Amino acid sequence: MKGNFQLRILTYAVIAYMLLAFSWWTVLLFQKNQDAYRAKVELAQLVSAAQGGAASVKEFRNSGAFRELTDNYKRQEWMILGESIVFVISLVIGVWLINRGYNRAIFAEQQRRNFLLSITHELKSPLASIRLTLETFLKRNLKKEHQDKLSVNALKESERLNTLVNDLLMAAKLESSYQPVPEELSFTHIVLETVDKLEQKYPNSSFDIKGEEQALKIKADHLGMQSVIINLLENAVKYSFDEPNIEVELKESDQNIQFIVKDTGIGITDQEKKKVFERFYRIGNEDTRQTKGTGLGLYIVHEVIMAHKGKISIKNNHPKGSVFKVELPK
Ligand code: ADP
């Protein structure tokens, strides 16, 4: 980081030097042009006087030769000015492009680092927990009740690993060759199924579903729709406070179905609203962040929705939280 900062300062110093040097050359060129003009005028005047032409300065200044020299001088002045402006503009555009590329590279590097840190944690912690459970089973004779509790926990952890691996596979597929395989689905059914699972996984959370009575049908990719629904609903829980209360709305129009998820959680600032759909993007920093995740969820959601020619938007919920609205063609 310190190296980057020094490199940046050095780059700015070189650019400032180039700009100053070029301004100075421009001033010098103006002066030289002016000196050359004066010398040419004097010479032309002397030649004219010697050849018996304009004798006085006033007479010479009315002559065609003087006008030609002056026009030429003015043209050259404009040329110097024009070229300086083009050079400065090119330099500024070049610097801007380099800076943008540099910032993007730094950002991508940061995202990759965050991803590696989070994926390591996400893979290690359920594995460690499952291993510990199995070791406990081996070493001790546990009561049935205790055994059940540990087994349920290990199952939850393996489910977490499964979700993670599915996300990784889906992300890899989206990168290369994702083609939705459309089939007739009950969107409402997938939502209800997912809500059930999440209520078990997060016993403190509650879901208020509006429009569940109308069984929304859609022709879409089953796995893709599952990913969209689980990621949006689980995020709503993950990024809410102690007792998440999530509002889910299902609607339909002639051509579209709408799936709206409202939470009252930490919210997303306007600056971050677009970025959260980028691969590996997670708000904040991996060293300080509390919530588990890989930054793949919303990327998957966005790509799947785009592959189905749908739309997704994020708005602020009032007084706090976020509203994710998905529109999918039937
Ligand atoms: P993650 O695995 O980190 O949850 P996502 O791609 O699903 O990855 O989300 C990207 C980031 O967007 C999250 O890290 C979080 O900072 C932010 N985010 C996603 N959903 C919400 C939400 N409902 N409320 C607030 N922030 C959210």
Side-chain angles (χ1 to χ4, degrees):
M1 267 320 202
K2 202 172 164 219
N4 285 339
F5 181 70
Q6 282 169 345
L7 192 70
R8 195 166 264 231
I9 295 285
L10 191 69
T11 315
Y12 287 142
V14 171
I15 292 163
Y17 171 76
M18 279 170 77
L19 278 174
L20 278 176
F22 195 75
S23 311
W24 179 233
W25 289 343
T26 310
V27 171
L28 280 183
L29 270 175
F30 268 114
Q31 275 175 358
K32 294 282 169 218
N33 189 37
Q34 206 170 42
D35 291 349
Y37 166 69
R38 281 193 190 131
K40 278 185 197 163
V41 168
E42 268 173 36
L43 185 69
Q45 196 184 342
L46 285 175
V47 171
S48 163
Q51 286 172 348
S56 69
V57 173
K58 206 173 169 196
E59 259 178 81
F60 178 70
R61 287 191 178 249
N62 283 329
S63 71
F66 177 75
R67 268 197 301 279
E68 198 182 323
L69 279 176
T70 309
D71 286 349
N72 210 11
Y73 163 68
K74 291 253 160 69
R75 248 197 319 277
Q76 280 189 335
E77 250 190 353
W78 279 113
M79 202 180 77
I80 297 169
L81 191 69
E83 286 191 2
S84 313
I85 291 172
V86 169
F87 179 85
V88 170
I89 291 176
S90 318
L91 188 71
V92 169
I93 292 177
V95 169
W96 177 72
L97 285 174
I98 292 172
N99 206 35
R100 198 178 61 158
Y102 176 79
N103 283 341
R104 281 188 182 171
I106 296 267
F107 179 72
E109 185 48 43
Q110 175 83 20
Q111 296 309 104
R112 248 193 299 277
R113 182 178 158 266
N114 276 350
F115 175 69
L116 278 179
L117 280 173
S118 63
I119 199 93
T120 314
H121 175 262
E122 290 290 287
L123 284 170
K124 272 181 105 174
S125 77
L127 274 179
S129 161
I130 293 169
R131 189 180 166 160
L132 193 74
T133 309
L134 292 175
E135 279 172 358
T136 317
F137 274 132
L138 273 180
K139 278 187 203 150
R140 294 206 244 150
N141 267 336
L142 300 170
K143 280 189 195 144
K144 168 91 175 69
E145 202 182 298
H146 196 182
Q147 269 185 14
D148 287 352
K149 212 172 155 191
L150 284 176
S151 305
V152 167
N153 200 33
L155 272 175
K156 270 190 192 164
E157 293 298 331
S158 70
E159 180 61 32
R160 200 171 132 196
L161 268 181
N162 194 31
T163 312
L164 176 66
V165 172
N166 282 344
D167 273 1
L168 289 173
L169 287 176
M170 191 68 173
K173 226 182 189 182
L174 287 167
E175 276 278 284
S176 53
S177 62
Y178 176 71
Q179 281 294 335
V181 184
E183 54 181 296
E184 284 282 346
L185 302 171
S186 165
F187 195 85
T188 310
H189 180 72
I190 308 179
V191 171
L192 295 178
E193 218 177 45
T194 314
V195 165
D196 267 356
K197 273 193 202 160
L198 290 175
E199 275 174 341
Q200 282 169 31
K201 188 168 174 186
Y202 302 97
N204 283 342
S205 63
S206 64
F207 291 83
D208 176 12
I209 307 172
K210 291 192 176 141
E212 63 179 298
E213 59 292 343
Q214 44 179 335
L216 298 190
K217 293 256 183 309
I218 187 172
K219 208 163 178 215
D221 183 59
H222 195 184
L223 272 181
M225 289 303 108
Q226 274 178 331
S227 287
V228 168
I229 294 168
I230 189 142
N231 274 305
L232 290 181
L233 292 179
E234 188 158 14
N235 276 354
V237 177
K238 266 175 25 183
Y239 300 104
S240 288
F241 304 103
D242 300 342
E243 296 201 346
N245 190 327
I246 317 300
E247 206 180 299
V248 181
E249 228 176 300
L250 293 165
K251 289 188 198 168
E252 85 179 305
S253 68
D254 287 347
Q255 272 118 35
N256 288 331
I257 65 162
Q258 287 183 13
F259 170 54
I260 302 163
V261 181
K262 297 183 187 174
D263 66 57
T264 49
I266 57 175
I268 302 175
T269 62
D270 288 344
Q271 282 158 317
E272 309 275 10
K273 282 192 174 89
K274 269 215 172 115
K275 295 189 194 160
V276 290
F277 294 115
E278 285 169 21
R279 199 167 53 130
F280 307 147
Y281 189 81
R282 304 195 72 213
I283 299 173
N285 192 296
E286 210 55 41
D287 300 326
T288 51
R289 202 182 288 114
Q290 301 293 321
T291 1
K292 294 166 191 159
T294 54
L296 283 175
L298 288 183
Y299 163 73
I300 294 174
V301 168
H302 183 261
E303 295 303 297
V304 169
I305 291 174
M306 291 304 120
H308 284 83
K309 304 199 168 24
K311 280 193 233 163
I312 179 159
S313 64
I314 310 177
K315 293 215 164 74
N316 294 335
N317 198 7
H318 292 289
K320 58 186 167 42
S322 317
V323 181
F324 282 78
K325 181 174 172 189
V326 174
E327 283 173 82
L328 286 162
K330 285 179 180 170

